[in-house]
């Protein structure tokens, strides 16, 4: 039986080494108007290559996702975001799109897509697709036409520049995936710009025809019925029109949340995030709003900005741009109560009035949360993700506590890790196939087929099947948390208020809406902590550790335990 709403049990608490009191005052109240689905819901990211293979080629596909929708319905998520499944030479595993309005045969057909969408909707699950506006594949017909000749009608659809008089590159911009952002085209004797691989040339969004064509690709999927878009490197589309050199980053500074090698030695002032980017998203928003009807279509932008004030500008001055710029701030913080609370509070404080927050602990570009924070803390990290104010995005497999799966060099796939070696940038470990059951390929693909990346070594015990059978599993906990979230308006759209006098090492906050009033306690430390719950009777809802230990007005938190209590 899955962990469900817990009754108090008289477990003996471990001896606490930290103590503090939490006062349960009246929290601020927020309106209880109905909120749109993307605010109350939980998003689940599927990396399609790694979810479920249906045709025995070792790579996941769209019919595979359809076949596994009942897992997601049973889990209790509200939307899936599916990473790119469009025709692609797969140099960046689908983020190099050669046709925005079709499905790569590796993943299926447009018919398979329609069946997946219909099956998701039947289960009340919305579908968000990936949109990659910054760059295409170098095999996209637009780029083939663009590179065919300097005078061709599509030449200006990409960013071409002459060499400097001394033959050198047009400026100092770097590719995120290593080396310069410029590649020489010997036939037409100019450089073209690529913020990522040389096989991913950047579109020229200053050209109105590009804008029209790309917005047309959104309409294609909107007409088919998708519920929204995750927008790849959303802030990169507009660059400095004068292509000025980026200045060097001050010594010792870190421009991204991890060491990315030479790319991190510049301040990326001019190669992304030009003020004109906002106009692009105002236009995208107008388009989505036209399709909104009674159910909004959502835009979620991938934006690697870690200063809350910078990030929130992408909601738009009048909240007329992205519905949500992905909030990656928790990907980089030291996993301590103080640092996490500071991060949450800074984001809450920076949010413009009416803007809706969101939280991310993992995706296909980041080391798995269970590997970053450790398996002991992974359970309370899930509790945190699902109880903070805002839309959570869950990465596939995190409901199983999947960890990074080491990939030997001869099996490495990811071009980033290959191009910039030595920094652990390869993203294969977080893209391991999903383990479903105890069969030889864990149910991911047929017996005897080699999956495109190695399965987790603990697939048999980590699998959905194994964890479904265990009431203490991470899967059972995640289901329980999602059920609790669904049952509590305070968690879906209530206010957030941190509790200031929690003991050191414990992050405590209140979530409240109307009469629904919850207290969340997360112990970040590997020792126990005692929290006194001044003045109120509390009923335990969920604990990461079986049953919360609440007695005589005190909650005894075990190492890395997270609990949710309800005011009685
Ligand atoms: C961000 C995506 O999340 C990543 O996987 C991809 O490699 C780059 N953008 C380039 O599209």
């Amino acid at each position: 039986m899955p962990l469900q709403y817990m009754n108090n049990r008289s477990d003996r608490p471990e001896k606490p080494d930290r103590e503090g009191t939490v006062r349960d005052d009246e929290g601020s109240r927020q309106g209880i108007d109905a909120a749109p689905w993307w605010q109350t819901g939980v998003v689940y990211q599927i990396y399609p290559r790694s979810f479920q293979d249906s045709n025995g080629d070792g790579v996941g596909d769209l019919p595979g996702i359809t076949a596994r929708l009942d897992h997601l319905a049973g889990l209790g998520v509200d939307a899936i975001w599916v990473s790119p499944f469009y025709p692609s030479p797969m140099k960046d595993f689908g983020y190099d799109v050669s046709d925005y309005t079709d499905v790569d045969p590796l993943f299926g057909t447009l018919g398979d897509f329609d069946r997946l969408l219909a099956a998701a909707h039947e289960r009340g699950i919305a579908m968000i697709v990936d949109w990659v506006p910054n760059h295409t594949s170098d095999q996209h017909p637009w780029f083939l036409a663009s590179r065919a000749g300097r005078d061709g009608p599509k030449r200006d659809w990409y960013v071409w520049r002459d060499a400097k008089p001394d033959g050198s590159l047009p400026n100092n911009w770097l590719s995120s995936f290593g080396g310069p952002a410029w590649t020489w085209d010997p036939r037409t004797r100019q450089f073209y710009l690529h913020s990522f691989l040389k096989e991913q040339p950047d579109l020229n969004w200053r050209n109105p025809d590009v804008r029209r064509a790309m917005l047309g690709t959104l309409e294609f999927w909107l007409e088919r019925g998708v519920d929204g878009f995750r927008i790849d490197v959303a802030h990169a589309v507009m660059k400095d029109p004068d292509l000025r050199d980026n200045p060097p980053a001050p010594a010792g500074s870190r421009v991204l949340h991890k060491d990315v090698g030479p790319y991190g030695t510049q301040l990326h002032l001019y190669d992304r995030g030009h003020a004109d980017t906002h106009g692009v998203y105002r236009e995208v928003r107008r388009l989505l709003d036209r399709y909104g009807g009674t159910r909004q279509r959502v835009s979620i932008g991938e934006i690697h900005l870690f200063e809350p004030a910078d990030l929130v500008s992408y909601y738009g001055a009048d909240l007329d741009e992205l519905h949500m710029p992905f909030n990656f701030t928790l990907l980089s913080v030291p996993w301590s109560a103080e640092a996490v609370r500071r991060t949450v509070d800074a984001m809450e404080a920076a949010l413009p009035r009416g803007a809706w927050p969101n939280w991310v602990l993992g995706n296909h570009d980041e080391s798995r949360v269970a590997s970053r924070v450790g398996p002991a803390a992974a359970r309370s990290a899930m509790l945190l993700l699902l109880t903070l104010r805002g839309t959570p995005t869950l990465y596939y497999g995190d409901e199983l506590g999947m960890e990074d799966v080491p990939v030997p060099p001869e099996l490495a796939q990811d071009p980033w890790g290959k191009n910039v070696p030595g920094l652990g940038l390869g993203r294969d470990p977080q893209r391991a196939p999903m383990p479903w059951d105890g069969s030889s390929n864990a149910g991911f693909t047929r017996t005897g087929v080699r999956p495109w990346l190695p399965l987790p070594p603990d697939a048999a015990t980590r699998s959905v099947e194994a964890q479904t059978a265990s009431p203490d599993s991470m899967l059972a906990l995640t289901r329980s948390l999602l059920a609790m979230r669904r049952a509590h308006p305070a968690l879906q759209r209530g206010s957030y208020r941190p509790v200031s006098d929690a003991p050191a090492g414990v992050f405590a906050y209140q979530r409240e809406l109307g009469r629904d009033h919850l207290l969340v306690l997360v112990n970040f430390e590997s020792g126990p902590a005692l929290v006194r719950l001044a003045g109120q009777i509390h009923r335990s809802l969920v604990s990461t550790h079986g049953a919360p230990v609440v007695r005589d007005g005190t909650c005894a938190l075990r190492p890395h335990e997270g609990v949710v209590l309800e005011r009685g």
Side-chain angles (χ1 to χ4, degrees), residues 412-479:
Q413 306 277 344
D414 182 30
W416 195 5
K418 293 181 188 175
N419 292 356
V420 189
L423 295 174
L425 293 172
R427 297 166 293 178
D428 298 328
Q430 55 264 37
R431 297 174 177 180
M434 177 90 166
W436 294 99
D437 59 37
S439 64
S440 62
N441 268 329
F444 167 71
T445 185
R446 293 177 198 160
T447 303
V449 172
R450 187 148 102 178
W452 81 286
L453 279 174
L455 284 155
D458 57 357
T461 48
R462 181 74 68 189
S463 72
V464 172
E465 183 183 63
Q467 296 204 31
T468 299
S470 160
D472 302 328
S473 65
M474 180 74 179
L475 179 59
L477 171 68
T478 308
R479 283 189 183 135

Side-chain angles (χ1 to χ4, degrees), residues 60-178:
D61 46 45
L62 298 186
I65 300 174
T66 309
R68 293 297 187 184
L69 280 176
D70 285 338
H71 167 68
L72 302 175
L75 189 60
V77 297
D78 303 272
I80 50 174
W81 146 35
V82 184
S83 286
F85 46 77
Y86 314 109
S88 164
M90 303 291 165
K91 296 288 182 199
D92 189 19
F93 297 106
Y95 283 96
D96 47 325
V97 179
S98 55
D99 182 351
Y100 287 94
T101 56
D102 206 345
V103 172
D104 195 284
L106 187 68
F107 295 122
T109 62
L110 271 176
D112 291 328
F113 172 84
D114 290 338
R115 280 184 285 279
L116 167 57
L117 183 64
H121 283 172
E122 267 165 36
R123 289 162 178 78
I125 297 176
M127 186 163 174
I128 295 167
V129 299
D130 223 301
W131 188 52
V132 188
N134 180 66
H135 46 269
T136 69
S137 159
D138 65 346
Q139 299 307 306
H140 195 295
W142 298 341
F143 188 70
L144 296 178
S146 185
R147 86 183 314 175
R150 283 197 185 203
D151 301 324
K154 290 219 163 41
R155 182 64 168 184
D156 184 52
W157 280 42
Y158 293 82
V159 184
W160 292 95
R161 283 296 182 279
D162 291 336
K164 283 186 177 162
D166 65 358
S168 63
L169 302 168
N171 67 17
N172 73 349
W173 295 357
L174 296 172
S175 154
S176 292
F177 288 161

Side-chain angles (χ1 to χ4, degrees), residues 92 95 135 177 196 200 230 232-233 302 364-365 427 431:
D92 189 19
Y95 283 96
H135 46 269
F177 288 161
F196 294 90
Q200 292 170 297
R230 175 268 187 188
D232 192 65
V233 282
E302 184 212 21
H364 62 293
D365 293 327
R427 297 166 293 178
R431 297 174 177 180

Side-chain angles (χ1 to χ4, degrees), residues 346-551:
M347 186 52 73
E348 285 278 352
L351 276 176
R353 201 180 168 73
W356 186 250
N358 75 93
W359 299 97
V360 175
L361 285 183
N363 61 37
H364 62 293
D365 293 327
E366 304 296 333
S367 171
R368 289 253 177 203
V369 59
S371 295
R372 291 201 319 273
V373 306
R379 293 170 73 92
S380 46
M382 180 64 85
L383 181 139
L384 178 89
L385 177 69
L386 295 179
T387 57
L388 284 174
R389 190 175 82 93
T391 304
T393 299
L394 255 172
Y395 185 46
Y396 86 92
D398 281 354
E399 77 273 33
L400 306 177
M402 269 175 84
E403 297 174 34
D404 293 339
V405 176
V407 175
E410 66 280 10
L411 297 181
Q413 306 277 344
D414 182 30
W416 195 5
K418 293 181 188 175
N419 292 356
V420 189
L423 295 174
L425 293 172
R427 297 166 293 178
D428 298 328
Q430 55 264 37
R431 297 174 177 180
M434 177 90 166
W436 294 99
D437 59 37
S439 64
S440 62
N441 268 329
F444 167 71
T445 185
R446 293 177 198 160
T447 303
V449 172
R450 187 148 102 178
W452 81 286
L453 279 174
L455 284 155
D458 57 357
T461 48
R462 181 74 68 189
S463 72
V464 172
E465 183 183 63
Q467 296 204 31
T468 299
S470 160
D472 302 328
S473 65
M474 180 74 179
L475 179 59
L477 171 68
T478 308
R479 283 189 183 135
S480 178
L481 288 166
L482 285 163
M484 173 185 67
R485 200 185 146 87
R486 202 174 276 272
H488 282 275
L491 290 176
Q492 293 181 10
R493 27 183 233 281
S495 59
Y496 156 85
R497 198 153 57 95
V499 172
S500 47
D501 44 6
V506 174
F507 179 22
Y509 47 96
Q510 300 183 65
R511 300 293 318 278
E512 183 184 298
L513 186 72
R515 302 172 84 83
D516 192 21
H517 189 160
L518 306 182
L519 175 67
V520 182
L521 305 172
V522 180
N523 182 7
F524 279 72
E525 302 296 321
S526 49
L530 254 198
V531 183
R532 278 191 296 276
L533 310 166
Q536 295 287 345
I537 302 162
H538 286 82
R539 194 166 75 88
S540 312
L541 292 182
V542 166
S543 160
T544 52
H545 284 51
V549 184
V550 182
R551 263 206 317 260

